[in-house]
Structure formats: C-alpha cells, structure tokens
C-alpha cells in the first residue's frame, strides 16, 4: 500500500466497523424477518436481502474512502495477490491486519444484533452443507471479486457501492447458498442461532468454497483485465488520504 493511503490503524478501524455493521445488518434483518413472517421463508429472505443491499451500499459509501471498504478477507487476499506484482494494493502484513479486524468486527456485529433483538447469543444450529451450496459459494465469491477488480481497472470504482450492493442482493437469490461470499461474515453468522445463522461445522466448507471462488476470480481477472493489479489501490473504492486527515 502506498504512503498516499490513510494510516493502517485508521483503515483497520474502518474495516472493523464496516464488517461489524454489515453482519449486524444481515443478522438483525434476519431476526426481524423471522419474527415478522415466521411461516414464510421466501418473505424472510426478501426482507433480509433488501436490508443487506441497502446496508452494504451505505457502509461502502461511508467507510470506503478510509479503507477501500473490503469488509471481506477474500477481497483483501485477492487485492494482495493481484497487486503484489506491480507494488500496488495491500502488503501481506496489511492483509493480516485487515482480516483480523474484519473477523473481530463480524463476531461483534452478530452479538450486537442478538442483543438488540433480545436473542440469546449462542452458536447457530443451522446446518448448511452439500455440494450445491458449496458451488453456490464459489460462484458468489468469484463474481464479487471479478466485479470489484473490473470496476477498479476501468476507473469506475466510484460505482462500487451500488454495484456491489446490487450484486450481493442478486446473488442472495440466484445462488443456492444465499451468497455469504465472505469468510468474515460466515464466521460472524456462526454466533447467532437465527434465520441468518450458520452452524460451526458448516463454516470450514463455506470458507473453503469461498477461497476456491477467489482462485477462479483471479484467473478470470487476469484473462479479462491483465493489468488489473495496477488498480489494486482502488479496491473496492479509491481511498487516498486527505491532507487534513493525514
């Protein structure tokens, strides 16, 4: 990461807050949907998806200028892998710092949602297993990574907020897994035994599928946008430090 970026502690704080609030949106809207429409899973998913689309869009707009709004270890890892050849993007230690902040934020966001709705904080009992679900996670994650690097490489990173929100919203419906597409969010959703939860035993499979999705996306990015690594500093959105904030 170049010196023109905000300091690492500030970017990590933005990643912690952004990932935490994203999980709060996902889990909180899932709890509300479950309470409002207890007998209709389709309506529950619609409520949950709508809140996620708008919530993610707003979080990218608010925190993207600070950290790039990765909110996702898969995005941070891809940023390093693609950018290292050109000296752009995160360094490996920064990937570790981002990921730690994202995981901590995700766990905290899930607990916050449980507390707001007076739901006991406990591990989820919702098993999410099977080949079809794992393929869904590969597709969802690959599409997300391809999207953010395509936007950055073509200097359209400022469209990332609505574009990423729209993609995740669509993928919630067209993938069998309902598009977790994020190891940190997957980890965080483990701490809520509600509509949006995932059992601890299902987490490794989902995270493994997401990493496969990263690999697929990297191949596609390199084929379609060979110089995408040069734009790694602009993933998910451009985030140069402002002089008065440095």
């Amino acid at each position: 990461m170049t010196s023109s970026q905000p300091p690492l502690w500030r970017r990590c704080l933005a990643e912690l807050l952004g990932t935490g609030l994203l999980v709060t949106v996902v889990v909180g809207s899932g709890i509300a949907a479950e309470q409002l429409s207890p007998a209709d899973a389709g309506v529950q998913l619609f409520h949950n998806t709508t809140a996620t689309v708008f919530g993610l869009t707003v979080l990218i707009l608010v925190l993207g200028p600070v950290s790039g709004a990765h909110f996702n270890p898969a995005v941070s890892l891809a940023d390093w892998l693609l950018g290292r050849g050109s000296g752009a993007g995160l360094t490996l230690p920064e990937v570790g710092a981002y990921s730690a902040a994202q995981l901590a934020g995700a766990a905290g966001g899930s607990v916050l949602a449980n507390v707001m709705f007076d739901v006991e904080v406990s591990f989820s009992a919702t098993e999410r297993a099977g080949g079809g679900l794992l393929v869904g996670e590969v597709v969802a994650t690959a599409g997300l990574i391809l999207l953010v690097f395509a936007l950055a490489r073509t200097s359209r990173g400022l469209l990332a907020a609505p574009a990423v929100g729209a993609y995740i919203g669509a993928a919630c419906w067209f993938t069998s897994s309902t598009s977790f597409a994020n190891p940190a969010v997957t980890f965080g959703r483990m701490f809520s035994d509600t509509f949006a939860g995932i059992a601890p035993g299902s987490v490794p499979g989902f995270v493994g599928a997401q990493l496969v999705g990263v690999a697929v996306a990297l191949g596609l990015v390199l084929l379609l946008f060979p110089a995408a690594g040069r734009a790694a500093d602009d993933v998910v959105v451009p985030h140069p430090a402002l002089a008065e904030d440095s």
Side-chain angles (χ1 to χ4, degrees):
M1 186 70 70
T2 67
S3 59
S4 64
Q5 307 300 328
L8 181 60
W9 70 266
R10 188 177 293 158
R11 287 182 274 136
C12 285
L13 177 59
E15 288 297 300
L16 185 147
L17 287 173
T19 311
L21 291 173
L22 173 59
V23 174
T24 299
V25 169
V26 173
V27 173
S29 62
I31 295 171
E34 197 171 34
Q35 293 177 350
L36 292 170
S37 306
D40 195 328
V43 172
Q44 292 173 12
L45 182 59
F46 178 77
H47 291 169
N48 189 224
T49 300
T50 302
T52 300
V53 168
F54 289 119
L56 178 56
T57 299
V58 169
L59 289 170
I60 293 173
L61 288 172
V62 173
L63 297 170
V66 180
S67 67
H70 291 194
F71 308 154
N72 186 337
V75 172
S76 300
L77 177 63
D79 191 65
W80 170 66
L81 288 170
L82 279 174
R84 60 182 182 158
S86 58
L90 297 177
T91 64
L92 188 56
E94 288 174 326
V95 172
Y98 264 47
S99 298
Q102 292 155 355
L103 289 167
S110 188
V111 171
L112 176 59
N114 289 330
V115 170
M116 285 196 298
F117 285 91
D118 198 23
V119 173
E120 180 183 359
V121 178
S122 62
F123 286 123
S124 174
T126 303
E127 298 287 345
R128 300 178 187 266
L133 296 184
L134 298 182
V135 171
E137 278 302 287
V138 172
V139 171
T141 308
L144 174 63
I145 302 298
L146 177 60
L147 170 63
V148 297
F149 277 94
L151 291 175
R153 179 63 186 93
T154 55
S155 302
R156 294 178 296 162
L158 294 177
L159 295 175
V164 171
Y167 173 78
I168 292 298
C172 284
W173 286 96
F174 76 73
T175 64
S176 56
S177 64
T178 65
S179 184
F180 283 47
N182 185 327
V185 168
T186 304
F187 173 75
R189 290 170 68 166
M190 182 175 68
F191 297 99
S192 185
D193 191 16
T194 60
F195 172 80
I198 179 172
S202 299
V203 170
F206 264 52
V207 172
Q210 290 156 2
L211 293 177
V212 172
V214 171
V216 171
L218 292 180
L220 291 173
V221 169
L222 290 173
L223 287 172
L224 295 170
F225 305 99
R230 299 175 189 170
D233 283 338
D234 294 332
V235 173
V236 169
V237 297
H239 43 289
L242 299 176
E244 60 269 26
D245 288 339
S246 301

